[in-house]
Amino acid sequence: MTEGRITVLVENTAGGRGTLAEHGLSFWIEIGSRRVLFDTGQSDLLLHNAQVLGVDFRMVDAVGLSHGHYDHVGGLTEILEVAPAAPVYLHPQALEAKYARREREGRQIGMEPETACVLRRRIESGLGSFTDGPVEIVPGVWATGEIPRRSAFEDTGGPFYRDSDCTQLDELLDDQALVLETQDGLVVVLGCAHAGIVNTLDYVAELFPNRPIRTVLGGMHLMRALPARIAHTIEALRRHDVQRIGPAHCTGAQATRELWDALSQKCFLCNVGTRIAL
């Protein structure tokens, strides 16, 4: 349990001077002497932001992927060129085809097939592993693996499918979060929380009994959420006594407003350039 910080490299909005924004998410995590990259945005934009923010990807010890959507894995090829020995940790279903329905048609929103092939070969050669269950990817940093879906009010947050005809629902079982063990408690870093933020926090509490969840940040995918779901989410954040909350990316404007209204003393901006002390 050590100290460190998180730097937001990619997000829908930019706050740091000289940084750029895109629809996506990427976090640079420094914990003790270890460096972890969580998600890679949708393009090579993270290379620009990393240079501006003083992040050296050659120092990365591990790469974690929250799930297989393009806005979280798009910059992966560039990262692996810079850090060819970096192990990658992801759920096996992150490599599968993924679609969203747009105007009665299926739009491909998953990982590029070539990237999926590269990742399979890397994992077969020992450079990383699949995360069906919890995996400690570096000391003090855990990938949750598959998150149990138990709440009746949470869903994946959108019309997601596994085929171009949009007939097979994608439950996004590849969705996972990172959990950081720090001196003050746990830090939960979300990609999109397609499993539901309440399911995610409840599962983290099971994995780490008697360890308080102090900070939660990242995408919460509440853009389509009904008021009742947002209310349940706020209640869960209170129940877990979370002290710092950084809604980002896919949380949605309405849900973000309600989180800030209800928990304003605990919320913080989570845009490109933000640095969060652990």
Side-chain angles (χ1 to χ4, degrees):
M1 293 180 284
T2 54
E3 296 181 354
R5 69 177 180 179
I6 299 173
T7 301
V8 183
L9 291 180
V10 176
E11 206 268 335
N12 303 24
T13 58
R17 183 175 182 179
T19 61
L20 300 174
E22 70 178 6
H23 178 80
L25 205 59
S26 179
F27 296 104
W28 179 251
I29 299 166
E30 302 168 81
I31 183 163
S33 62
R34 303 290 184 171
R35 306 291 181 267
V36 174
L37 179 65
F38 188 49
D39 287 349
T40 64
Q42 67 165 287
S43 72
D44 61 359
L45 180 74
L46 78 168
L47 298 180
H48 167 84
N49 286 343
Q51 185 175 21
V52 173
L53 296 169
V55 169
D56 186 353
F57 289 129
R58 294 173 299 178
M59 302 289 291
V60 70
D61 294 293
V63 177
L65 299 178
S66 64
H67 61 299
H69 282 166
Y70 75 99
D71 50 333
H72 295 259
V73 303
L76 185 59
T77 300
E78 286 76 14
I79 293 301
L80 297 182
E81 289 176 356
V82 175
V88 182
Y89 297 85
L90 72 163
H91 189 281
Q93 288 193 17
L95 301 178
E96 297 181 0
K98 295 181 178 297
Y99 296 85
R101 186 166 56 201
R102 295 290 187 273
E103 299 179 355
R104 301 181 182 179
E105 294 183 356
R107 181 170 66 92
Q108 204 282 122
I109 60 169
M111 188 181 299
E112 292 295 330
E114 297 81 3
T115 304
C117 288
V118 168
L119 287 177
R120 286 193 184 94
R121 289 196 296 269
R122 291 175 68 86
I123 289 173
E124 288 171 358
S125 66
L127 284 175
S129 71
F130 288 129
T131 54
D132 301 83
V135 174
E136 189 174 28
I137 63 176
V138 301
V141 178
W142 292 78
T144 62
E146 194 170 311
I147 296 167
R149 314 296 173 89
R150 294 169 180 159
S151 64
F153 55 88
E154 292 184 301
D155 56 29
T156 58
F160 301 114
Y161 298 89
R162 302 178 66 177
D163 64 314
S164 59
D165 293 329
C166 297
T167 61
Q168 303 174 40
L169 284 176
D170 188 353
E171 298 179 1
L172 288 169
L173 299 181
D174 47 319
D175 178 84
Q176 64 178 346
L178 288 192
V179 182
L180 285 52
E181 298 183 89
T182 75
Q183 299 287 357
D184 294 330
L186 304 176
V187 175
V188 179
V189 187
L190 307 167
C192 269
H194 286 295
I197 184 173
V198 179
N199 283 330
T200 301
L201 295 182
D202 288 349
Y203 185 52
V204 169
E206 289 181 17
L207 293 176
F208 299 88
N210 304 315
R211 291 284 292 152
I213 300 172
R214 288 301 184 220
T215 302
V216 177
L217 69 155
M220 303 180 187
H221 221 289
L222 297 171
M223 294 182 293
R224 299 170 179 264
L226 296 174
R229 178 175 177 178
I230 297 173
H232 282 306
T233 300
I234 292 170
E235 188 278 330
L237 290 165
R238 286 174 170 152
R239 171 165 52 87
H240 286 288
D241 195 25
V242 179
Q243 297 300 304
R244 296 190 299 176
I245 304 162
H249 182 43
C250 57
T251 303
Q254 180 62 33
T256 298
R257 281 193 297 269
E258 294 194 34
L259 286 166
W260 275 82
D261 286 345
L263 305 164
S264 59
Q265 298 292 326
K266 299 178 178 181
C267 289
F268 61 88
L269 291 175
C270 192
N271 49 21
V272 177
T274 298
R275 298 188 193 270
I276 303 102
L278 304 179

